[in-house]
Amino acid sequence: RHLLRQCQSHKMKMKKNLIATVVILISICSNASAFAPGNALGVHQSTLSTNGAPTTSFRKNNGAYPSEIHPAAIKRQRKSITSVQTKMGSQALVYGAAVATTFGMQTIGFIAAYLLKTETFYDIFGGVNYLLLALLSAILGATGDGALQWIDDPRKILTTVLFGVSRGWLLLFLSWRAHERKGDSRFDEVLGKGGGTPQPLNFLVYWMAQAFWVMLVSMPMLFVNSSNVIKPGFSGFDIALAVLFFVGVFTEIVADIQKAVWVKRGRLGDFCKAGVWKYSRHPNYFGEIFQWWCLFAFSYSSSQNPLGGYADPLWWAGIVSPLFTMQILLNMQPTGISNAEGKSLKRYYDKCPERYAKYRDNTSILIPFIGYGFIPPFLKRTIFFDFERYEYKPQSGESADNVAKKDEMEGIRDYGTSGD
């Protein structure tokens, strides 16, 4: 009997524990239903009415249920969450692929160039890399469920086309320059030409610098092509910036062609005053800088941040495009204005000092316009970028013939617009 009573007591305890466990599970499931996407805010769907037709009922949770809540609102909330996840995934895919493609392509270029001991296709790799990023971002930006297709977004179409025109011209110009120059003295030392010791690590630095250049300058284009923001059309702000972007691209192309024709004709007049060069000493560099500022501003409307582009860190990251371009063309000695001005002006001051001094005083260093001679010197030294370091300071022992030979038929140094 004693043993029988113990067994019965044990069974009762097991039943109580089992009941308690079931109660706990039911409680957990009931509470968790409030957080489930299909039952948010206590919405219970797919109940049956008295006539058997499916309907939707609402149950209050800890108080009155808000009257404005409606199944459509819940649906929009779910769609919004899914949309955010899709947008973030699309951007990560585009930027990740761009980084991998750019550094992978430049690494392959470095290996091939070093094995062949040539730098002939260095600049061409840069131009092709740009076009490849435009193509990849247009394709990958439309990848995934709910992603905005490239063909359905006029901003993506316009950005990709203008970017392609700009970088397509760059590729054509660099290909022509590679044919004309038949070599690039910048790489003679690192490739060990002339009996020197090859420097593979220093040669790799050139290729990685080009990778950073391509990637950073392309940031606004990648931002637009990775966006899933749907807008009905262009605003006045968009149209104005698109036009200005085209003006920048057109100015660069025209300036490069005019300078190349002038060089081919024998450098008549000792320094170039053809076309737009009459109003700017470096109109090609102006076009290059100006177009990236316009594209950065144009990309504002493609921000996926509900608060707008000003609250979007990824949009702000695109500002490195114009800033990096300005850094290269205004401040880096091996290229741009720093290379074209300063000591490189010796050939002009030796051949035609009065004429060139008058041209320099009355012609803007960057922004093409009439009346530069009336601008106060302190404004020239600040907002017009005509810095004192660009002035020519005679140095003993430097031959004008050597400087002229160095400049002969070089086009640009290593950037993408013809040199000065």
Side-chain angles (χ1 to χ4, degrees):
R1 291 179 184 176
H2 179 71
L3 181 60
L4 182 61
R5 284 196 297 270
Q6 285 184 338
C7 289
Q8 290 176 345
S9 176
H10 183 66
K11 288 180 180 180
M12 290 296 294
K13 289 181 180 179
M14 290 181 63
K15 288 181 179 179
K16 291 180 180 179
N17 292 337
L18 180 60
I19 293 172
T21 303
V22 171
V23 171
I24 292 173
L25 289 175
I26 293 174
S27 177
I28 292 174
C29 293
S30 177
N31 291 331
S33 67
F35 300 96
N39 294 319
L41 298 176
V43 176
H44 292 263
Q45 299 177 339
S46 301
T47 59
L48 297 177
S49 64
T50 56
N51 60 4
T55 182
T56 302
S57 62
F58 298 88
R59 177 171 54 84
K60 297 179 182 180
N61 285 334
N62 298 327
Y65 194 84
S67 59
E68 68 272 12
I69 297 299
H70 187 272
I74 303 301
K75 186 176 181 180
R76 285 195 298 270
Q77 185 182 39
R78 291 186 202 163
K79 185 176 180 180
S80 177
I81 295 172
T82 303
S83 177
V84 169
Q85 293 172 342
T86 300
K87 291 172 182 179
M88 295 298 291
S90 177
Q91 287 184 325
L93 179 62
V94 169
Y95 280 87
V99 171
T101 299
T102 298
F103 284 89
M105 182 176 179
Q106 297 304 319
T107 300
I108 293 173
F110 156 72
I111 295 173
Y114 187 75
L115 292 177
L116 297 173
K117 293 294 186 289
T118 181
E119 73 288 345
T120 304
F121 49 82
Y122 173 80
D123 290 324
I124 297 176
F125 256 63
V128 172
N129 200 159
Y130 273 118
L131 297 181
L132 186 57
L133 289 191
L135 178 62
L136 281 176
S137 62
I139 296 173
L140 297 179
T143 302
D145 295 336
L148 179 61
Q149 299 299 304
W150 181 85
I151 196 66
D152 295 330
D153 187 352
R155 285 178 178 76
K156 291 185 178 182
I157 296 174
L158 183 60
T159 299
T160 305
V161 169
L162 288 177
F163 185 88
V165 170
S166 172
R167 301 302 87 179
W169 165 252
L170 170 67
L171 178 59
L172 290 174
F173 185 83
L174 294 178
S175 300
W176 170 82
R177 190 190 75 165
H179 177 267
E180 290 289 331
R181 290 171 60 177
K182 297 179 176 61
D184 193 331
S185 59
R186 289 175 299 162
F187 301 99
D188 289 349
E189 184 178 356
V190 295
L191 288 175
K193 295 183 178 181
T197 302
Q199 304 171 19
L201 291 180
N202 288 338
F203 191 41
L204 176 62
V205 169
Y206 279 99
W207 287 89
M208 292 300 100
Q210 179 161 255
F212 275 103
W213 167 51
V214 172
M215 186 64 205
L216 295 181
V217 170
S218 301
M219 290 285 281
M221 181 273 298
L222 297 175
F223 182 78
V224 174
N225 278 351
S226 65
S227 173
N228 287 312
V229 172
I230 302 176
K231 292 189 177 180
F234 293 109
S235 65
F237 178 76
D238 294 330
I239 295 174
L241 288 170
V243 171
L244 291 175
F245 180 38
F246 174 77
V247 168
V249 174
F250 183 75
T251 300
E252 179 181 359
I253 293 175
V254 169
D256 282 339
I257 294 174
Q258 290 175 340
K259 181 66 176 289
V261 171
W262 175 76
V263 171
K264 275 291 189 179
R265 291 178 177 175
R267 297 176 178 268
L268 300 177
D270 298 319
F271 55 91
C272 185
K273 293 179 63 178
V276 70
W277 295 84
K278 184 177 181 181
Y279 308 104
S280 171
R281 307 202 307 265
H282 306 281
N284 46 355
Y285 296 149
F286 165 77
E288 183 73 16
I289 293 171
F290 186 65
Q291 64 183 279
W292 302 127
W293 276 113
C294 292
L295 184 57
F296 165 66
F298 178 82
S299 67
Y300 181 91
S301 297
S302 295
S303 173
Q304 297 174 167
N305 193 304
L307 298 178
Y310 69 90
D312 192 334
L314 197 56
W315 176 74
W316 279 108
I319 201 173
V320 300
S321 175
L323 290 179
F324 186 73
T325 302
M326 292 182 69
Q327 170 64 20
I328 289 178
L329 294 181
L330 297 180
N331 300 319
M332 294 184 66
Q333 183 60 43
T335 187
I337 293 178
S338 292
N339 176 74
E341 298 276 334
K343 63 181 181 181
S344 295
L345 300 177
K346 178 177 173 60
R347 59 190 181 277
Y348 302 138
Y349 283 102
D350 284 350
K351 292 180 180 179
C352 48
E354 291 81 10
R355 286 194 301 114
Y356 184 74
K358 182 178 179 180
Y359 168 75
R360 183 179 177 82
D361 290 340
N362 293 279
T363 308
S364 169
I365 190 171
L366 195 64
I367 306 170
F369 71 97
I370 300 173
Y372 186 72
F374 300 101
I375 300 296
F378 78 93
L379 291 179
K380 290 183 179 181
R381 289 283 189 259
T382 52
I383 63 175
F384 288 98
F385 306 106
D386 206 342
F387 304 127
E388 186 176 359
R389 64 174 178 271
Y390 297 147
E391 295 293 334
Y392 170 63
K393 299 177 181 179
Q395 298 179 1
S396 60
E398 185 176 28
S399 169
D401 292 336
N402 289 338
V403 175
K405 183 178 179 180
K406 182 179 178 182
D407 181 71
E408 182 69 25
M409 289 303 297
E410 265 199 338
I412 65 169
R413 289 290 173 173
D414 61 350
Y415 191 70
T417 52
S418 61
D420 308 303

